[in-house]
Amino acid sequence: MQNKRIRLHPIYVKDIETEFNCTAQTVRMSLQYVFNSELSYSIRKRAKELLLEEANKIED
């Protein structure tokens, strides 16, 4: 079974860190589903939004 995690470029980790006023470790641990607080849920939701925005930039 694969580990559950969201893979995100370090630039986006830094953006989320600034946006949520938390540490890079908090962001990383949230994306690895180690932390499961409300903040972690919000971080994962934001990461998903950023990934979708990036994917929508790709032209067919």
Side-chain angles (χ1 to χ4, degrees):
M1 185 172 140
Q2 284 186 333
N3 290 337
K4 192 173 183 183
R5 76 170 9 143
I6 298 171
R7 294 189 176 118
L8 197 62
H9 193 277
I11 290 173
Y12 291 130
V13 171
K14 185 70 175 165
D15 289 346
I16 291 173
E17 180 184 344
T18 303
E19 184 175 335
F20 288 95
N21 193 29
C22 63
T23 65
Q25 181 178 3
T26 298
V27 176
R28 286 192 308 270
M29 299 294 263
S30 296
L31 296 177
Q32 293 172 6
Y33 289 82
V34 174
F35 294 164
N36 289 305
S37 64
E38 275 190 46
L39 175 60
S40 295
Y41 175 80
S42 298
I43 288 171
R44 288 190 290 269
K45 183 177 177 184
R46 183 64 179 133
K48 181 178 177 180
E49 291 168 355
L50 290 170
L51 287 168
L52 287 170
E53 287 174 16
E54 191 67 27
N56 287 331
K57 292 178 185 177
I58 299 171
E59 294 182 21
D60 293 334

